[in-house]
C-alpha cells in the first residue's frame, strides 16, 4: 500500500493512502486537502500505474517539486520528498526500502507502535523561516528579473528637485495668474463702459 506522509511541522503526521487517482490541493473537493496558502486549489494528481507512483502538476502557482527539482510529470519513488508550495511530503510503500519497518497503516494499536515509530522514521525537516506564508520565493522564480535591492541602490531614482526648477515654476505660475487677472479687469472695465453709454 502506497501512502504520502506530510513532513512539514505545521501538519506533520497527516497522511493519505494513495488510490488509483489521488488529487491534492487546497479546496475540499480534492482527495487530500491541504489548506495552506502556498498550495494551489488543485495542485497535483497522483496516479498509481503498475508499481509506479506518477505525479502530475496541474499548473499550480508555486510548482510541484521532487527532491527540490521542479517537475510537470515524474515518477515518485519511496523515500523521495514531494514538495507542493511550502508543504513537504514523503512517499512510503509497504516493503519498500524508504518505508518504515513497522506497518504505518495499522493504527489500531497506537501504544505498541509509538515507541518504534521515532526510531523508524526520521524527524520532520525543520522549515526555513519565511517572511510570508503565501506567494513565490525569489529562488522559485525562473528567469530572474530585477532584485528589489537594485531599485534602492540606484541613487538617481530618488533625487531631490533642484531649487532653480521650483523657482522657475512658481514665477511662471505667478505671471500666468497676473495676466489672467489683468484680462479679467479689462473685460470688466469694457463691460461697464459699454453699459454706461
Amino acid at each position: 500500500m502506497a501512502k504520502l506522509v506530510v513532513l512539514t511541522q505545521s501538519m506533520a503526521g497527516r497522511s493519505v493512502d494513495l488510490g488509483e487517482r489521488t488529487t491534492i490541493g487546497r479546496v475540499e473537493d480534492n482527495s487530500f486537502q491541504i489548506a495552506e496558502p502556498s498550495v494551489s486549489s488543485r495542485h497535483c494528481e497522483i496516479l498509481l500505474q503498475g508499481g509506479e507512483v506518477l505525479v502530475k502538476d496541474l499548473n499550480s502557482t508555486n510548482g510541484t517539486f521532487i527532491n527540490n527539482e521542479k517537475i510537470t510529470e515524474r515518477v515518485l519513488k519511496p523515500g523521495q520528498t514531494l514538495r507542493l508550495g511550502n508543504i513537504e511530503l514523503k512517499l512510503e510503500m509497504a516493503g519498500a526500502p524508504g518505508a518504515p519497518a513497522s506497518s504505518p497503516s495499522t493504527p489500531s494499536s497506537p501504544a505498541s507502535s509509538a515507541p518504534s515509530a521515532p526510531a523508524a522514521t526520521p524527524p520532520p525537516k525543520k522549515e526555513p523561516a519565511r517572511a510570508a506564508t503565501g506567494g513565490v520565493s525569489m529562488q522559485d522564480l525562473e528567469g530572474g528579473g530585477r532584485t528589489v535591492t537594485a531599485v534602492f541602490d540606484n541613487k538617481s531614482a530618488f533625487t531631490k528637485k533642484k531649487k532653480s526648477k521650483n523657482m522657475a515654476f512658481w514665477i511662471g505660475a505667478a505671471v500666468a495668474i497676473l495676466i489672467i487677472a489683468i484680462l479679467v479687469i479689462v473685460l470688466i472695465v469694457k463691460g461697464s463702459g459699454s453699459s454706461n453709454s
Side-chain angles (χ1 to χ4, degrees):
M1 179 58 114
K3 74 188 288 184
L4 280 175
V5 178
V6 179
L7 299 177
T8 306
Q9 286 184 342
S10 60
M11 298 181 184
R14 287 191 59 202
S15 65
V16 61
D17 290 328
L18 300 176
E20 197 172 304
R21 179 179 181 268
T22 305
T23 58
I24 301 175
R26 193 177 63 243
V27 295
E28 291 178 11
D29 64 350
N30 288 288
S31 308
F32 187 47
Q33 180 187 14
I34 300 176
E36 209 277 333
S38 68
V39 176
S40 293
S41 55
R42 286 170 189 77
H43 202 100
C44 70
E45 70 177 356
I46 308 214
L47 305 169
L48 292 181
Q49 297 179 337
E52 293 185 330
V53 176
L54 182 68
V55 179
K56 287 185 179 182
D57 182 75
L58 299 176
N59 295 322
S60 62
T61 302
N62 292 324
T64 300
F65 297 80
I66 293 180
N67 285 350
N68 289 323
E69 189 176 327
K70 189 170 187 172
I71 60 111
T72 52
E73 183 175 316
R74 184 168 300 160
V75 172
L76 178 66
K77 296 180 179 151
Q80 288 185 321
T81 302
L82 172 67
R83 181 166 54 88
L84 314 175
N86 295 335
I87 303 298
E88 288 189 341
L89 305 104
K90 187 169 273 193
L91 175 64
E92 294 181 356
M93 294 180 82
S102 63
S103 174
S105 61
T106 55
S108 58
S109 57
S112 62
S113 64
S116 62
T121 1
K125 286 185 183 177
K126 188 170 185 176
E127 279 187 82
R130 295 184 187 248
T133 57
V136 179
S137 72
M138 290 301 287
Q139 295 168 345
D140 292 343
L141 291 176
E142 293 181 33
R146 245 177 24 173
T147 60
V148 175
T149 56
V151 174
F152 295 107
D153 289 342
N154 184 0
K155 295 187 187 222
S156 66
F158 300 103
T159 58
K160 195 172 184 179
K161 290 184 179 178
K162 304 262 186 216
K163 285 186 179 182
S164 61
K165 287 183 181 179
N166 279 342
M167 186 63 79
F169 171 78
W170 288 113
I171 290 173
V175 168
I177 291 171
L178 184 62
I179 290 172
I180 292 171
I182 290 172
L183 287 174
V184 169
I185 292 171
V186 168
L187 289 174
I188 292 173
V189 169
K190 279 190 178 182
S192 67
S194 64
S195 64
N196 287 341
S197 47

